[in-house]
Amino acid sequence: MVMVTNFRVFGYSLVGAALLEAASWFGWQYPVLGSVFTIAMVCGWLWVATRNEGVAVLLLVVELCLGSQGYLLSFKFGTTILSLRMVLFVCAVGYILWKIISKRDFELWRSEWKLWYGAVLLALTWGLAVALGRGNSFETLFLDVNGFFYLALFPLFVSSAAREGIAKYGVSILTGALLWLSLKTLLVLYAFSHISPEALTNLYHWWRQTGFGEITYV
């Protein structure tokens, strides 16, 4: 049975999730503010990664839990919109490359997972080659393949899994994030089933445009 063992970390995670939602709400209403929040969070993640790689990986998982399609926050520059998840992904890949180039050790090279990881990448490459050979457009293929891009971060996850105490912190952090996710869902369900939809227009558009979910009449 998995149990929360560090209630302080659990509390930090729960409060952090709530603050992320608040930043998303204000960032959605004020795009400039949203861009500032996005940059600040990405810089914060890089700072954490250089000091505690395991916690940085757990933060990536928390964003996956809370962010749905990754647009809780976005960096907007003209017509270009970069989601928080997209920017975090690029930074995480850059971090992995930095560790490889600087000749720092990576657990994946010594792990039994390296063969499975190589097999998955080989299968994806083969599938992509077959699809291109059958005349599929690159744009169509990209819409399918981009779902597998997160596999590029697998070496970072393997490396972090070997860190001492990461499982203990992981349970506490993810439990806090999932509890907030449940509370958010129940609060929105209550709001839309007890309050006039006209009074919740902004909440609806925020919910939809951040990609979290859909709300319909039942």
Side-chain angles (χ1 to χ4, degrees), residues 24-45:
S24 174
W25 170 251
F26 288 107
W28 173 76
Q29 296 187 86
Y30 309 101
V32 174
L33 198 57
S35 297
V36 172
F37 285 153
T38 302
I39 294 173
M41 290 191 177
V42 170
C43 290
W45 183 87

PDB file of all heavy atoms in Angstrom, residues 24-45:
ATOM      1  N   SER A  24      -2.540  30.283 -14.003  1.00  0.00           N
ATOM      2  CA  SER A  24      -3.176  29.993 -15.288  1.00  0.00           C
ATOM      3  C   SER A  24      -4.395  30.891 -15.523  1.00  0.00           C
ATOM      4  O   SER A  24      -4.597  31.418 -16.622  1.00  0.00           O
ATOM      5  CB  SER A  24      -3.603  28.520 -15.324  1.00  0.00           C
ATOM      6  OG  SER A  24      -4.348  28.236 -16.483  1.00  0.00           O
ATOM      7  N   TRP A  25      -5.202  31.075 -14.473  1.00  0.00           N
ATOM      8  CA  TRP A  25      -6.411  31.901 -14.585  1.00  0.00           C
ATOM      9  C   TRP A  25      -6.066  33.344 -14.930  1.00  0.00           C
ATOM     10  O   TRP A  25      -6.616  33.924 -15.871  1.00  0.00           O
ATOM     11  CB  TRP A  25      -7.194  31.816 -13.286  1.00  0.00           C
ATOM     12  CG  TRP A  25      -8.323  32.793 -13.155  1.00  0.00           C
ATOM     13  CD1 TRP A  25      -8.381  33.881 -12.339  1.00  0.00           C
ATOM     14  CD2 TRP A  25      -9.559  32.778 -13.881  1.00  0.00           C
ATOM     15  NE1 TRP A  25      -9.569  34.548 -12.495  1.00  0.00           N
ATOM     16  CE2 TRP A  25     -10.317  33.892 -13.436  1.00  0.00           C
ATOM     17  CE3 TRP A  25     -10.095  31.951 -14.854  1.00  0.00           C
ATOM     18  CZ2 TRP A  25     -11.572  34.183 -13.933  1.00  0.00           C
ATOM     19  CZ3 TRP A  25     -11.359  32.245 -15.352  1.00  0.00           C
ATOM     20  CH2 TRP A  25     -12.089  33.336 -14.900  1.00  0.00           C
ATOM     21  N   PHE A  26      -5.130  33.928 -14.193  1.00  0.00           N
ATOM     22  CA  PHE A  26      -4.760  35.316 -14.460  1.00  0.00           C
ATOM     23  C   PHE A  26      -3.958  35.432 -15.761  1.00  0.00           C
ATOM     24  O   PHE A  26      -4.076  36.425 -16.484  1.00  0.00           O
ATOM     25  CB  PHE A  26      -3.956  35.881 -13.293  1.00  0.00           C
ATOM     26  CG  PHE A  26      -4.779  36.145 -12.067  1.00  0.00           C
ATOM     27  CD1 PHE A  26      -4.666  35.329 -10.948  1.00  0.00           C
ATOM     28  CD2 PHE A  26      -5.697  37.188 -12.034  1.00  0.00           C
ATOM     29  CE1 PHE A  26      -5.440  35.559  -9.815  1.00  0.00           C
ATOM     30  CE2 PHE A  26      -6.473  37.427 -10.912  1.00  0.00           C
ATOM     31  CZ  PHE A  26      -6.349  36.603  -9.793  1.00  0.00           C
ATOM     32  N   GLY A  27      -3.146  34.425 -16.059  1.00  0.00           N
ATOM     33  CA  GLY A  27      -2.385  34.436 -17.306  1.00  0.00           C
ATOM     34  C   GLY A  27      -3.273  34.318 -18.526  1.00  0.00           C
ATOM     35  O   GLY A  27      -2.957  34.866 -19.594  1.00  0.00           O
ATOM     36  N   TRP A  28      -4.402  33.609 -18.383  1.00  0.00           N
ATOM     37  CA  TRP A  28      -5.340  33.500 -19.496  1.00  0.00           C
ATOM     38  C   TRP A  28      -6.027  34.839 -19.752  1.00  0.00           C
ATOM     39  O   TRP A  28      -6.245  35.224 -20.905  1.00  0.00           O
ATOM     40  CB  TRP A  28      -6.378  32.422 -19.178  1.00  0.00           C
ATOM     41  CG  TRP A  28      -7.477  32.342 -20.189  1.00  0.00           C
ATOM     42  CD1 TRP A  28      -7.413  31.783 -21.436  1.00  0.00           C
ATOM     43  CD2 TRP A  28      -8.807  32.868 -20.060  1.00  0.00           C
ATOM     44  NE1 TRP A  28      -8.618  31.923 -22.080  1.00  0.00           N
ATOM     45  CE2 TRP A  28      -9.489  32.580 -21.261  1.00  0.00           C
ATOM     46  CE3 TRP A  28      -9.480  33.546 -19.044  1.00  0.00           C
ATOM     47  CZ2 TRP A  28     -10.818  32.950 -21.467  1.00  0.00           C
ATOM     48  CZ3 TRP A  28     -10.796  33.911 -19.253  1.00  0.00           C
ATOM     49  CH2 TRP A  28     -11.455  33.618 -20.440  1.00  0.00           C
ATOM     50  N   GLN A  29      -6.353  35.549 -18.682  1.00  0.00           N
ATOM     51  CA  GLN A  29      -7.030  36.838 -18.837  1.00  0.00           C
ATOM     52  C   GLN A  29      -6.075  37.937 -19.310  1.00  0.00           C
ATOM     53  O   GLN A  29      -6.492  38.856 -20.024  1.00  0.00           O
ATOM     54  CB  GLN A  29      -7.667  37.250 -17.505  1.00  0.00           C
ATOM     55  CG  GLN A  29      -8.762  36.310 -17.043  1.00  0.00           C
ATOM     56  CD  GLN A  29      -9.483  36.829 -15.813  1.00  0.00           C
ATOM     57  OE1 GLN A  29     -10.433  37.601 -15.891  1.00  0.00           O
ATOM     58  NE2 GLN A  29      -9.006  36.406 -14.650  1.00  0.00           N
ATOM     59  N   TYR A  30      -4.811  37.842 -18.900  1.00  0.00           N
ATOM     60  CA  TYR A  30      -3.812  38.841 -19.263  1.00  0.00           C
ATOM     61  C   TYR A  30      -2.613  38.120 -19.895  1.00  0.00           C
ATOM     62  O   TYR A  30      -1.715  37.666 -19.165  1.00  0.00           O
ATOM     63  CB  TYR A  30      -3.370  39.640 -18.040  1.00  0.00           C
ATOM     64  CG  TYR A  30      -4.526  40.213 -17.243  1.00  0.00           C
ATOM     65  CD1 TYR A  30      -4.961  39.587 -16.069  1.00  0.00           C
ATOM     66  CD2 TYR A  30      -5.186  41.361 -17.675  1.00  0.00           C
ATOM     67  CE1 TYR A  30      -6.020  40.099 -15.350  1.00  0.00           C
ATOM     68  CE2 TYR A  30      -6.248  41.886 -16.953  1.00  0.00           C
ATOM     69  CZ  TYR A  30      -6.673  41.252 -15.797  1.00  0.00           C
ATOM     70  OH  TYR A  30      -7.745  41.768 -15.080  1.00  0.00           O
ATOM     71  N   PRO A  31      -2.604  37.969 -21.223  1.00  0.00           N
ATOM     72  CA  PRO A  31      -1.573  37.180 -21.917  1.00  0.00           C
ATOM     73  C   PRO A  31      -0.135  37.585 -21.568  1.00  0.00           C
ATOM     74  O   PRO A  31       0.732  36.710 -21.484  1.00  0.00           O
ATOM     75  CB  PRO A  31      -1.878  37.436 -23.392  1.00  0.00           C
ATOM     76  CG  PRO A  31      -3.352  37.715 -23.424  1.00  0.00           C
ATOM     77  CD  PRO A  31      -3.622  38.473 -22.170  1.00  0.00           C
ATOM     78  N   VAL A  32       0.127  38.887 -21.389  1.00  0.00           N
ATOM     79  CA  VAL A  32       1.487  39.312 -21.033  1.00  0.00           C
ATOM     80  C   VAL A  32       1.889  38.699 -19.702  1.00  0.00           C
ATOM     81  O   VAL A  32       3.017  38.208 -19.531  1.00  0.00           O
ATOM     82  CB  VAL A  32       1.580  40.852 -20.969  1.00  0.00           C
ATOM     83  CG1 VAL A  32       2.947  41.267 -20.450  1.00  0.00           C
ATOM     84  CG2 VAL A  32       1.321  41.459 -22.348  1.00  0.00           C
ATOM     85  N   LEU A  33       0.949  38.720 -18.766  1.00  0.00           N
ATOM     86  CA  LEU A  33       1.207  38.129 -17.462  1.00  0.00           C
ATOM     87  C   LEU A  33       1.426  36.621 -17.593  1.00  0.00           C
ATOM     88  O   LEU A  33       2.299  36.048 -16.923  1.00  0.00           O
ATOM     89  CB  LEU A  33       0.031  38.413 -16.530  1.00  0.00           C
ATOM     90  CG  LEU A  33       0.256  38.252 -15.023  1.00  0.00           C
ATOM     91  CD1 LEU A  33       1.400  39.136 -14.554  1.00  0.00           C
ATOM     92  CD2 LEU A  33      -1.035  38.572 -14.272  1.00  0.00           C
ATOM     93  N   GLY A  34       0.660  35.997 -18.490  1.00  0.00           N
ATOM     94  CA  GLY A  34       0.834  34.567 -18.720  1.00  0.00           C
ATOM     95  C   GLY A  34       2.212  34.242 -19.254  1.00  0.00           C
ATOM     96  O   GLY A  34       2.830  33.243 -18.858  1.00  0.00           O
ATOM     97  N   SER A  35       2.729  35.079 -20.153  1.00  0.00           N
ATOM     98  CA  SER A  35       4.077  34.877 -20.690  1.00  0.00           C
ATOM     99  C   SER A  35       5.131  35.015 -19.596  1.00  0.00           C
ATOM    100  O   SER A  35       6.092  34.242 -19.539  1.00  0.00           O
ATOM    101  CB  SER A  35       4.344  35.879 -21.820  1.00  0.00           C
ATOM    102  OG  SER A  35       3.457  35.676 -22.906  1.00  0.00           O
ATOM    103  N   VAL A  36       4.937  36.010 -18.725  1.00  0.00           N
ATOM    104  CA  VAL A  36       5.874  36.217 -17.614  1.00  0.00           C
ATOM    105  C   VAL A  36       5.863  35.007 -16.676  1.00  0.00           C
ATOM    106  O   VAL A  36       6.922  34.513 -16.263  1.00  0.00           O
ATOM    107  CB  VAL A  36       5.524  37.496 -16.840  1.00  0.00           C
ATOM    108  CG1 VAL A  36       6.369  37.605 -15.566  1.00  0.00           C
ATOM    109  CG2 VAL A  36       5.732  38.719 -17.722  1.00  0.00           C
ATOM    110  N   PHE A  37       4.667  34.510 -16.353  1.00  0.00           N
ATOM    111  CA  PHE A  37       4.548  33.345 -15.482  1.00  0.00           C
ATOM    112  C   PHE A  37       5.228  32.128 -16.117  1.00  0.00           C
ATOM    113  O   PHE A  37       5.890  31.339 -15.431  1.00  0.00           O
ATOM    114  CB  PHE A  37       3.078  33.024 -15.206  1.00  0.00           C
ATOM    115  CG  PHE A  37       2.416  33.965 -14.245  1.00  0.00           C
ATOM    116  CD1 PHE A  37       1.041  34.190 -14.301  1.00  0.00           C
ATOM    117  CD2 PHE A  37       3.147  34.623 -13.271  1.00  0.00           C
ATOM    118  CE1 PHE A  37       0.422  35.047 -13.416  1.00  0.00           C
ATOM    119  CE2 PHE A  37       2.544  35.493 -12.374  1.00  0.00           C
ATOM    120  CZ  PHE A  37       1.171  35.698 -12.450  1.00  0.00           C
ATOM    121  N   THR A  38       5.048  31.961 -17.423  1.00  0.00           N
ATOM    122  CA  THR A  38       5.643  30.813 -18.121  1.00  0.00           C
ATOM    123  C   THR A  38       7.160  30.852 -18.038  1.00  0.00           C
ATOM    124  O   THR A  38       7.812  29.853 -17.703  1.00  0.00           O
ATOM    125  CB  THR A  38       5.200  30.791 -19.589  1.00  0.00           C
ATOM    126  OG1 THR A  38       3.764  30.734 -19.663  1.00  0.00           O
ATOM    127  CG2 THR A  38       5.779  29.586 -20.316  1.00  0.00           C
ATOM    128  N   ILE A  39       7.730  32.025 -18.335  1.00  0.00           N
ATOM    129  CA  ILE A  39       9.192  32.167 -18.272  1.00  0.00           C
ATOM    130  C   ILE A  39       9.689  31.914 -16.849  1.00  0.00           C
ATOM    131  O   ILE A  39      10.696  31.220 -16.639  1.00  0.00           O
ATOM    132  CB  ILE A  39       9.613  33.573 -18.751  1.00  0.00           C
ATOM    133  CG1 ILE A  39       9.285  33.740 -20.239  1.00  0.00           C
ATOM    134  CG2 ILE A  39      11.096  33.808 -18.505  1.00  0.00           C
ATOM    135  CD1 ILE A  39       9.506  35.148 -20.755  1.00  0.00           C
ATOM    136  N   ALA A  40       8.986  32.463 -15.863  1.00  0.00           N
ATOM    137  CA  ALA A  40       9.394  32.302 -14.473  1.00  0.00           C
ATOM    138  C   ALA A  40       9.376  30.835 -14.061  1.00  0.00           C
ATOM    139  O   ALA A  40      10.310  30.355 -13.384  1.00  0.00           O
ATOM    140  CB  ALA A  40       8.483  33.121 -13.568  1.00  0.00           C
ATOM    141  N   MET A  41       8.347  30.107 -14.468  1.00  0.00           N
ATOM    142  CA  MET A  41       8.248  28.695 -14.078  1.00  0.00           C
ATOM    143  C   MET A  41       9.297  27.842 -14.769  1.00  0.00           C
ATOM    144  O   MET A  41       9.851  26.907 -14.177  1.00  0.00           O
ATOM    145  CB  MET A  41       6.839  28.174 -14.367  1.00  0.00           C
ATOM    146  CG  MET A  41       5.799  28.759 -13.443  1.00  0.00           C
ATOM    147  SD  MET A  41       4.208  27.938 -13.541  1.00  0.00           S
ATOM    148  CE  MET A  41       3.317  28.851 -12.260  1.00  0.00           C
ATOM    149  N   VAL A  42       9.589  28.156 -16.020  1.00  0.00           N
ATOM    150  CA  VAL A  42      10.622  27.402 -16.731  1.00  0.00           C
ATOM    151  C   VAL A  42      11.992  27.671 -16.110  1.00  0.00           C
ATOM    152  O   VAL A  42      12.783  26.741 -15.913  1.00  0.00           O
ATOM    153  CB  VAL A  42      10.616  27.772 -18.233  1.00  0.00           C
ATOM    154  CG1 VAL A  42      11.832  27.176 -18.932  1.00  0.00           C
ATOM    155  CG2 VAL A  42       9.335  27.270 -18.887  1.00  0.00           C
ATOM    156  N   CYS A  43      12.274  28.918 -15.784  1.00  0.00           N
ATOM    157  CA  CYS A  43      13.542  29.257 -15.120  1.00  0.00           C
ATOM    158  C   CYS A  43      13.623  28.568 -13.758  1.00  0.00           C
ATOM    159  O   CYS A  43      14.688  28.063 -13.361  1.00  0.00           O
ATOM    160  CB  CYS A  43      13.672  30.767 -14.955  1.00  0.00           C
ATOM    161  SG  CYS A  43      13.937  31.660 -16.498  1.00  0.00           S
ATOM    162  N   GLY A  44      12.492  28.528 -13.058  1.00  0.00           N
ATOM    163  CA  GLY A  44      12.453  27.841 -11.774  1.00  0.00           C
ATOM    164  C   GLY A  44      12.731  26.358 -11.924  1.00  0.00           C
ATOM    165  O   GLY A  44      13.438  25.757 -11.099  1.00  0.00           O
ATOM    166  N   TRP A  45      12.168  25.745 -12.978  1.00  0.00           N
ATOM    167  CA  TRP A  45      12.411  24.316 -13.210  1.00  0.00           C
ATOM    168  C   TRP A  45      13.889  24.055 -13.488  1.00  0.00           C
ATOM    169  O   TRP A  45      14.461  23.080 -12.966  1.00  0.00           O
ATOM    170  CB  TRP A  45      11.572  23.813 -14.387  1.00  0.00           C
ATOM    171  CG  TRP A  45      11.753  22.337 -14.586  1.00  0.00           C
ATOM    172  CD1 TRP A  45      11.053  21.344 -13.960  1.00  0.00           C
ATOM    173  CD2 TRP A  45      12.726  21.696 -15.417  1.00  0.00           C
ATOM    174  NE1 TRP A  45      11.527  20.106 -14.363  1.00  0.00           N
ATOM    175  CE2 TRP A  45      12.547  20.296 -15.250  1.00  0.00           C
ATOM    176  CE3 TRP A  45      13.708  22.151 -16.288  1.00  0.00           C
ATOM    177  CZ2 TRP A  45      13.340  19.367 -15.922  1.00  0.00           C
ATOM    178  CZ3 TRP A  45      14.498  21.226 -16.952  1.00  0.00           C
ATOM    179  CH2 TRP A  45      14.308  19.851 -16.774  1.00  0.00           C
TER     180      TRP A  45
END
